[in-house]
Amino acid sequence: MEKRGKNSVKEENKQSTTAAVESKQMTENLEFKSSEFGTCENCHTNIKGQAVHALGKTWHPEHFICAACKKPISGQVFNVHDGKPFCEQDYSNKFLNKCRSCGLPIKDVTIQALGANWHKEHFVCKSCSTPLAGQGFYERENNPFCQKCFESQFSPKCAACNQAIIDTAMMALGKNYHPGCFKCSKCNKPFANEVAAFQLIDNEPTCPTCAGKLAPACPKSPDKPAP
Ligand SMILES: [Zn+2]
Ligand SMILES: [Zn+2]
Ligand SMILES: [Zn+2]
Ligand SMILES: [Zn+2]
Ligand SMILES: [Zn+2]
Ligand SMILES: [Zn+2]
């Protein structure tokens, strides 16, 4: 008989999601200003006409370039990493966490679980796709499962009623049973409190009372005379 306490089963497999980590993109707005003087940070020549003011410096608009692809950063928003400007695409590819489910960069909330990063909406039960972010979940082979799916799929099944055994499983004859499901094959009385006393008669578990009726001649029993 194997007792599997409810809590121990759950805690073995349960990992709570870590607090959702805000992964904010550092963005700044480009300032386009007319500048009569000033030197471009890139080419070190004077800027006439339009200048970009960004990162505390001044640039020709065409010289304010992505540190990765070296293309001028178009649009009003850029991303900063290590003090260098990056275009949206390179910043996403280089510095944002990738979702384990879809493989794409995560721009807003990152769920960190099972040693990986996930979009909030992609951290779901492997079986039924219920969202699991912000909830407890169960882990099996490094995949997340909701409680319902985990219990129905991975809990031992009772050999008598074929339902999942969530809390206490009884091991008998190499099989798992609900305590109430492992019964005497003759009188249907559960063995729960006297499981050690059952006997196998014709390969069927039998309680001592029924066994006594069937086989009154037990040589080890002192109060019953040997034949
Ligand atoms: Zn320049
Ligand atoms: Zn780029
Ligand atoms: Zn995703
Ligand atoms: Zn599920
Ligand atoms: Zn059962
Ligand atoms: Zn019985």
Side-chain angles (χ1 to χ4, degrees):
M1 172 153 177
E2 183 198 20
K3 283 251 176 194
R4 303 233 284 171
K6 192 171 198 170
N7 290 327
S8 68
V9 172
K10 285 190 176 166
E11 271 154 33
E12 243 178 7
N13 301 295
K14 194 174 202 168
Q15 295 185 11
S16 23
T17 51
T18 57
V21 179
E22 290 282 342
S23 166
K24 278 245 177 70
Q25 243 174 309
M26 276 185 65
T27 56
E28 285 188 27
N29 289 314
L30 288 184
E31 262 185 272
F32 290 93
K33 276 186 187 167
S34 286
S35 177
E36 278 146 29
F37 39 78
T39 308
C40 171
E41 179 68 19
N42 188 333
C43 70
H44 304 290
T45 64
N46 287 336
I47 301 172
K48 293 178 190 109
Q50 219 177 32
V52 168
H53 294 270
L55 305 174
K57 288 159 188 159
T58 313
W59 322 67
H60 288 110
E62 68 273 24
H63 285 162
F64 184 65
I65 59 175
C66 168
C69 68
K70 312 292 183 199
K71 288 180 188 147
I73 293 172
S74 54
Q76 297 293 304
V77 173
F78 64 99
N79 302 278
V80 184
H81 186 87
D82 268 349
K84 291 179 196 142
F86 287 86
C87 70
E88 182 83 30
Q89 198 186 339
D90 282 317
Y91 182 83
S92 295
N93 290 339
K94 284 177 185 304
F95 307 117
L96 293 185
N97 295 320
K98 308 293 184 301
C99 172
R100 192 185 119 182
S101 172
C102 70
L104 296 174
I106 303 168
K107 291 186 181 177
D108 42 21
V109 176
T110 302
I111 300 294
Q112 292 185 317
L114 304 175
N117 298 300
W118 313 71
H119 286 115
K120 195 164 176 269
E121 65 274 22
H122 288 159
F123 186 63
V124 298
C125 172
K126 172 96 176 158
S127 178
C128 71
S129 298
T130 293
L132 297 174
Q135 309 185 21
F137 65 93
Y138 293 73
E139 182 263 336
R140 182 78 166 208
E141 287 169 2
N142 209 26
N143 288 313
F145 288 90
C146 72
Q147 180 174 357
K148 211 171 128 217
C149 291
F150 184 86
E151 287 178 348
S152 65
Q153 292 179 28
F154 304 119
S155 298
K157 295 268 192 302
C158 172
C161 70
N162 208 30
Q163 300 295 304
I165 303 173
I166 307 304
D167 37 28
T168 306
M170 246 173 75
M171 277 277 289
L173 308 174
K175 292 171 182 163
N176 291 300
Y177 294 87
H178 292 110
C181 287
F182 187 58
K183 297 172 183 169
C184 170
S185 62
K186 303 292 180 293
C187 69
N188 253 0
K189 201 177 106 196
F191 289 117
N193 297 321
E194 44 177 347
V195 66
F198 82 86
Q199 301 177 25
L200 271 186
I201 295 183
D202 293 337
N203 235 6
E204 303 277 5
T206 309
C207 74
T209 310
C210 295
K213 286 178 201 157
L214 289 169
C218 177
K220 279 182 192 164
S221 185
D223 55 356
K224 291 193 179 82

